[in-house]
Amino acid sequence: MKRILEKYEKNPVMCPEMMPQQVLYTFNPGAVLYNGEYILIMDVTTLDDIHRFWIARSKDGYNFVADKEPLNWPEPDPSHPEKCTYDPRITKIGDDYIIIYASDLGQNEARLGIVKTRDFENFQRVCIGSEYGNRNGALFPEKINGLYCRLDRPFGNELDPCSMWVSYSPDLVFWGKSEPLTYKGKPFMDGFKMGAGAVPIKTDKGWLEIYHTVSTTCNGFIYRLKACLLDIDNPAKILGYTKDFLLWPEHDYEMRGRVSNVVFTCNALPEKDGTVKIYYGAADTNIGLAEGKIQEIIDACLYE
């Protein structure tokens, strides 16, 4: 198989050296187009070793400038005092941009938080939207069968195998009807563990989901990207998936950093010309860009 996603030749598009203040790491951004501008909400680890959200902006999708200060994040829910916030996925529904992110108290104490904005200046907390042991939440851009729908990844321990699930809500606050994704009638597992990456993209063949899959090695993990197609009306049903990797660590900026051998995405932005931009975390330290044709990814999902 040929390479479907091509990496931008001037990667990384964001790294700690490009920040207006000294920071440790920049990685795993949510991304969206807003008023003709590309916006990244990045995970940024400050010198106190806490992950905070920080916005970078670009007019052309390639040259980004970070805001002078971290994002003005709303105060945490009193029942869940956040220690770290990371891995945001941004979904536009109506006039709202809804952000589902990992709200963390510790290594195995992550919950899904939900916040919304209309201008990327003011942010309103919706809720803490899961129990402990859940992350990688990605909200579908429209209701399915009258309910909000999201991909998530429940887990018991970070070192245990875990896979992608789908959950539903009438109001973004109360979530249930959870079930694992299936392929040909059986629970789907791709790698040692896997989880949602991008907000799903609606196509005429199904919901296109870019996800991460994790392989074990003799001394750690390797994070890589693949894709699957989900049934439009029943997104728990996988119609097909890419047998080959779409993106993998191969360059120094992806293989050396806070977490080695990682490419990880929280976004996939479809363009009017049928291409997609994926801004991905590289070694939990830098941010790269990869581009490809949506139709080629769909074709790879349906290839048998």
Side-chain angles (χ1 to χ4, degrees):
M1 294 287 290
K2 71 171 186 176
R3 183 187 290 254
I4 294 176
L5 294 179
E6 295 287 347
K7 295 175 182 177
Y8 180 46
E9 62 182 7
K10 295 183 180 179
N11 273 347
V13 296
M14 182 58 64
C15 60
E17 291 74 22
M18 297 170 64
M19 295 293 292
Q21 302 177 24
Q22 188 171 11
V23 302
L24 298 177
Y25 317 106
T26 57
F27 58 108
N28 296 6
V32 71
L33 275 168
Y34 171 74
N35 284 352
E37 189 174 53
Y38 293 83
I39 288 181
L40 303 181
I41 297 183
M42 309 176 290
D43 296 351
V44 173
T45 308
T46 46
L47 299 186
D48 54 6
D49 202 29
I50 293 176
H51 306 327
R52 293 180 167 86
F53 290 141
W54 207 305
I55 288 181
R57 306 170 192 267
S58 172
K59 292 296 185 181
D60 62 5
Y62 300 96
N63 299 286
F64 284 88
V65 176
D67 288 357
K68 293 183 179 179
E69 300 287 341
L71 185 153
N72 183 26
W73 199 241
E75 289 298 314
D77 188 307
S79 66
H80 183 79
E82 295 173 334
K83 181 179 179 182
C84 289
T85 56
Y86 55 93
D87 296 358
R89 279 87 175 180
I90 309 166
T91 302
K92 185 177 188 296
I93 296 183
D95 294 328
D96 289 324
Y97 293 85
I98 301 166
I99 304 163
I100 297 185
Y101 67 99
S103 176
D104 208 336
L105 289 176
Q107 178 68 27
N108 295 306
E109 295 181 310
R111 302 173 75 180
L112 292 175
I114 304 177
V115 163
K116 64 181 180 180
T117 183
R118 292 191 171 184
D119 57 10
F120 292 92
E121 300 289 343
N122 303 288
F123 296 83
Q124 177 184 351
R125 182 170 297 281
V126 177
C127 68
I128 295 295
S130 78
E131 300 300 323
Y132 286 111
N134 205 335
R135 64 173 62 153
N136 296 319
L139 183 68
F140 284 73
E142 62 184 57
K143 291 183 178 180
I144 297 176
N145 300 320
L147 297 172
Y148 292 101
C149 181
R150 79 176 183 211
L151 297 169
D152 49 23
R153 196 204 73 181
F155 66 99
N157 185 290
E158 185 61 30
L159 300 179
D160 291 337
C162 41
S163 60
M164 295 165 62
W165 287 54
V166 64
S167 299
Y168 297 90
S169 172
D171 56 7
L172 293 176
V173 177
F174 297 97
W175 292 87
K177 297 184 65 176
S178 302
E179 57 180 320
L181 299 193
T182 61
Y183 179 60
K184 296 184 176 180
K186 297 180 180 180
F188 182 67
M189 191 71 178
D190 190 2
F192 177 77
K193 56 182 178 176
M194 58 181 293
V199 171
I201 299 170
K202 192 174 186 179
T203 77
D204 59 0
K205 298 295 185 180
W207 294 104
L208 179 63
E209 169 61 20
I210 310 295
Y211 64 91
H212 64 267
T213 174
V214 183
S215 300
T216 57
T217 70
C218 60
N219 61 352
F221 294 132
I222 302 177
Y223 281 71
R224 293 173 280 208
L225 301 186
K226 297 179 75 173
C228 61
L229 275 173
L230 308 176
D231 185 86
I232 287 292
D233 298 317
N234 178 17
K237 180 182 178 182
I238 294 176
L239 304 177
Y241 68 99
T242 56
K243 306 305 185 288
D244 296 328
F245 297 114
L246 295 178
L247 208 68
W248 57 91
E250 57 184 320
H251 302 298
D252 188 67
Y253 65 88
E254 301 161 331
M255 300 178 72
R256 299 178 60 186
R258 175 178 172 265
V259 183
S260 301
N261 300 322
V262 171
V263 297
F264 186 98
T265 191
C266 296
N267 67 84
L269 297 186
E271 300 278 24
K272 293 180 180 179
D273 63 359
T275 63
V276 65
K277 283 184 168 64
I278 297 175
Y279 299 95
Y280 64 93
D284 274 20
T285 300
N286 309 292
I287 295 173
L289 166 63
E291 298 175 280
K293 295 181 179 179
I294 292 175
Q295 188 60 54
E296 290 187 359
I297 302 174
I298 293 172
D299 290 345
C301 287
L302 297 177
Y303 174 79
E304 288 289 350

